[in-house]
């Protein structure tokens, strides 16, 4: 029930209006949005057919405001068009095109280049040994004095909600591109927390199944497969979260002319949230190790119980087998062969011995 409620809340959070959807932008396949902001407000007189370079030239001519350009999986040619007017470094452009980068923050003259790993929880009705739990993408941010360029890779990580939240807070947005960089970092880390909570629900479900009073004896391998799959997906989440601590520490502590002094304390707050998420993930990993060890121990105990039952029945069957083997030998002089009561007595003694052995083994819990 708790798991379902968490998923419903997660879906409700994602139902915000997405300003970054390509269908809302007439600017091309890669350019999702190109908006000029002045005094924390969107320029209402902006035209949709104005290019990114023209928008930047307009901002620099007026000497105030900044332009925020949103891109989704641009080609090298599309990014190369922005390199000259925005002064983008070739190494940063190469990273933005090819993606698959570790979270980092690099400084190039009058520009900051930040890389964030975005994550998304993949809903599933039932966790299996091949279920995808965590999907990852990337968000690259070029931050200058009068521009912000965001580059997204992956099927998720929309920055529409971030843009909406900032436009609803003009005072914060008026602090410039560094406010956008903080909002993106805060959004990414909040998604980490959301995904971590959803993964915890899956871990709780697996833990309940492993420690159930009457576990499904036929599902031993499936349980181990689910645990290993969770560990793999948790590792994917850890690869996104752990490397981000160093870049956030740099943004929160080092003086940089591109970061508004009023914004730096906010980066420290994001770093604290990230540290808490990292601790949660580490505890999840340790918990999964314990669950896996407990499951393997249960499987071993069940196998030992099966072996004891097999051994017990083998011991019981050994009694008539031994008697039949002895009396099946070709000897003329054997006890009871000449007596008319020999066969019935031998059968009764054999059955009685088997019964007593069965009762003794049952008392010891082997049967």
């Amino acid at each position: 029930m708790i798991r379902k409620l968490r998923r419903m809340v997660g879906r409700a959070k994602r139902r915000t209006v997405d300003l970054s959807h390509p269908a809302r932008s007439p600017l091309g396949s890669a350019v999702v949005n190109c908006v000029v902001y002045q005094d924390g407000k969107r320029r209402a007189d902006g035209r949709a057919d104005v290019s990114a370079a023209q928008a930047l030239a307009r901002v620099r001519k007026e000497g105030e405001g900044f332009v925020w350009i949103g891109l989704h999986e641009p080609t090298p040619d599309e990014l190369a068009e922005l390199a000259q007017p925005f002064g983008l470094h070739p190494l940063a452009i190469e990273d933005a095109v090819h993606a698959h980068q570790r979270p980092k923050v690099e400084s190039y003259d009058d520009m900051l280049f930040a890389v964030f790993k975005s994550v998304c929880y993949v809903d599933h009705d039932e966790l299996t040994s091949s279920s995808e739990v965590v999907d990852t993408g990337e968000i690259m941010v070029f931050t200058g004095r009068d521009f912000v360029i965001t580059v997204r890779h992956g099927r998720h990580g929309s920055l529409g909600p971030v843009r909406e939240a900032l436009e609803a807070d003009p005072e914060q947005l008026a602090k410039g591109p560094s406010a956008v960089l903080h909002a993106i970092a805060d959004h990414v880390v909040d998604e980490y927390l959301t995904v971590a909570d959803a993964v915890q629900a899956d871990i709780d479900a697996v833990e309940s199944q492993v420690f159930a009073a009457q576990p499904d004896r036929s599902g031993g391998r499936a349980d181990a497969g689910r645990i290993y799959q969770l560990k793999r997906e948790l590792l994917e989440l850890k690869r996104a979260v752990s490397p981000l601590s160093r870049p956030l520490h740099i943004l929160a502590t080092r003086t940089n002319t591109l970061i508004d002094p009023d914004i730096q304390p906010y980066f420290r707050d994001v770093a604290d949230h990230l540290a808490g998420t990292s601790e949660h993930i580490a505890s999840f990993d340790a918990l999964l190790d314990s669950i896996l060890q407990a499951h393997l121990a249960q499987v071993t105990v069940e196998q030992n119980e099966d072996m004891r039952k097999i051994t017990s029945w083998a011991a019981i069957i050994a009694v008539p087998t031994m008697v039949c083997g002895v009396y099946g030998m070709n000897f003329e002089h054997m006890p009871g062969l000449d007596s008319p009561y020999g066969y019935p007595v031998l059968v009764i003694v054999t059955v009685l011995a088997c019964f007593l052995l069965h009762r003794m083994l049952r008392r010891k819990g082997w049967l």
Side-chain angles (χ1 to χ4, degrees):
M1 184 65 180
I2 295 175
R3 188 178 178 187
K4 290 182 179 179
L5 287 174
R6 283 175 175 167
R7 287 180 177 173
M8 290 173 64
V9 172
R11 292 192 185 101
K13 288 181 178 179
R14 290 193 285 270
R15 285 176 187 151
T16 55
V17 177
D18 187 1
L19 294 177
S20 67
H21 195 280
R24 299 177 61 87
S25 172
L27 301 177
S29 58
V31 179
V32 177
N33 257 315
C34 179
V35 181
V36 175
Y37 294 96
Q38 287 184 350
D39 297 325
K41 297 180 181 180
R42 180 195 287 247
R43 284 288 296 261
D45 58 345
R47 293 187 330 208
D49 58 347
V50 174
S51 67
Q54 291 172 334
L56 179 64
R58 180 178 182 179
V59 167
R60 289 179 175 175
K61 180 180 179 180
E62 297 179 358
E64 60 180 0
F66 68 95
V67 57
W68 181 356
I69 302 165
L71 306 174
H72 181 257
E73 298 183 355
T75 64
D77 292 338
E78 288 170 329
L79 263 183
E81 293 179 2
L82 303 178
Q84 196 278 328
F86 288 86
L88 307 183
H89 197 278
L91 292 178
I93 292 177
E94 183 180 355
D95 290 344
V97 170
H98 296 292
H100 304 296
Q101 305 295 318
R102 282 172 55 88
K104 61 181 179 179
V105 171
E106 294 180 350
S107 179
Y108 297 99
D109 298 328
D110 292 335
M111 184 196 74
L112 281 177
F113 177 64
V115 178
F116 302 96
K117 283 280 190 181
S118 59
V119 298
C120 175
Y121 179 77
V122 180
D123 288 325
H124 47 266
D125 296 330
E126 182 180 359
L127 180 67
T128 65
S129 58
S130 60
S131 296
E132 183 181 13
V133 178
V134 178
D135 186 23
T136 60
E138 292 182 36
I139 300 175
M140 286 85 164
V141 185
F142 297 88
T143 306
R145 297 182 183 278
D146 47 18
F147 69 86
V148 175
I149 301 176
T150 56
V151 180
R152 292 195 300 111
H153 289 270
R155 297 172 293 177
H156 62 276
S158 170
L159 297 178
V162 177
R163 190 184 293 270
E164 287 181 337
L166 281 172
E167 290 181 353
D169 187 3
E171 183 178 352
Q172 183 78 354
L173 188 57
K175 294 177 182 178
S178 59
V180 177
L181 180 61
H182 159 262
I184 293 173
D186 187 51
H187 171 73
V188 169
V189 173
D190 284 345
E191 287 298 311
Y192 292 164
L193 290 170
T194 302
V195 173
D197 288 341
V199 171
Q200 183 179 10
D202 285 329
I203 295 175
D204 292 342
V206 170
E207 184 180 19
S208 299
Q209 293 172 1
V210 169
F211 293 100
Q214 294 180 343
D216 183 7
R217 297 170 65 88
S218 64
R221 293 184 181 178
D223 286 338
R226 287 195 290 266
I227 297 171
Y228 275 118
Q229 180 64 16
L230 272 179
K231 284 185 68 67
R232 284 193 295 266
E233 295 298 312
L234 193 64
L235 179 61
E236 188 74 14
L237 180 59
K238 188 176 182 180
R239 287 174 178 169
V241 174
S242 298
L244 186 57
S245 59
R246 178 63 178 169
L248 286 180
H249 177 75
I250 293 174
L251 292 172
T253 57
R254 291 187 183 178
T255 302
N256 193 304
T257 57
L258 296 175
I259 302 297
D260 191 300
D262 294 336
I263 295 295
Q264 277 200 320
Y266 291 95
F267 281 113
R268 287 196 290 269
D269 180 66
V270 176
D272 289 340
H273 292 168
L274 181 71
T277 306
S278 297
E279 292 175 359
H280 286 318
I281 294 174
S283 65
F284 294 162
D285 195 25
L287 179 59
L288 280 175
D289 286 336
S290 300
I291 293 173
L292 181 60
Q293 292 299 324
H295 173 67
L296 295 178
Q298 286 180 345
V299 172
T300 302
V301 169
E302 291 173 2
Q303 289 176 345
N304 289 339
E305 290 179 355
D306 293 338
M307 288 302 299
R308 286 194 298 182
K309 290 181 179 180
I310 294 172
T311 303
S312 299
W313 284 111
I316 294 172
I317 295 173
V319 174
T321 302
M322 181 188 67
V323 173
C324 294
V326 170
Y327 278 88
M329 294 186 293
N330 269 336
F331 291 107
E332 295 182 3
H333 304 287
M334 296 186 72
L337 290 181
D338 298 330
S339 173
Y341 303 105
Y343 177 74
V345 170
L346 187 62
V347 172
I348 291 173
V349 171
T350 302
V351 172
L352 182 61
C354 292
F355 174 76
L356 293 175
L357 185 58
H358 179 274
R359 188 168 183 179
M360 181 186 69
L361 294 173
R362 190 176 183 84
R363 283 183 177 179
K364 288 186 176 183
W366 284 45
L367 288 173

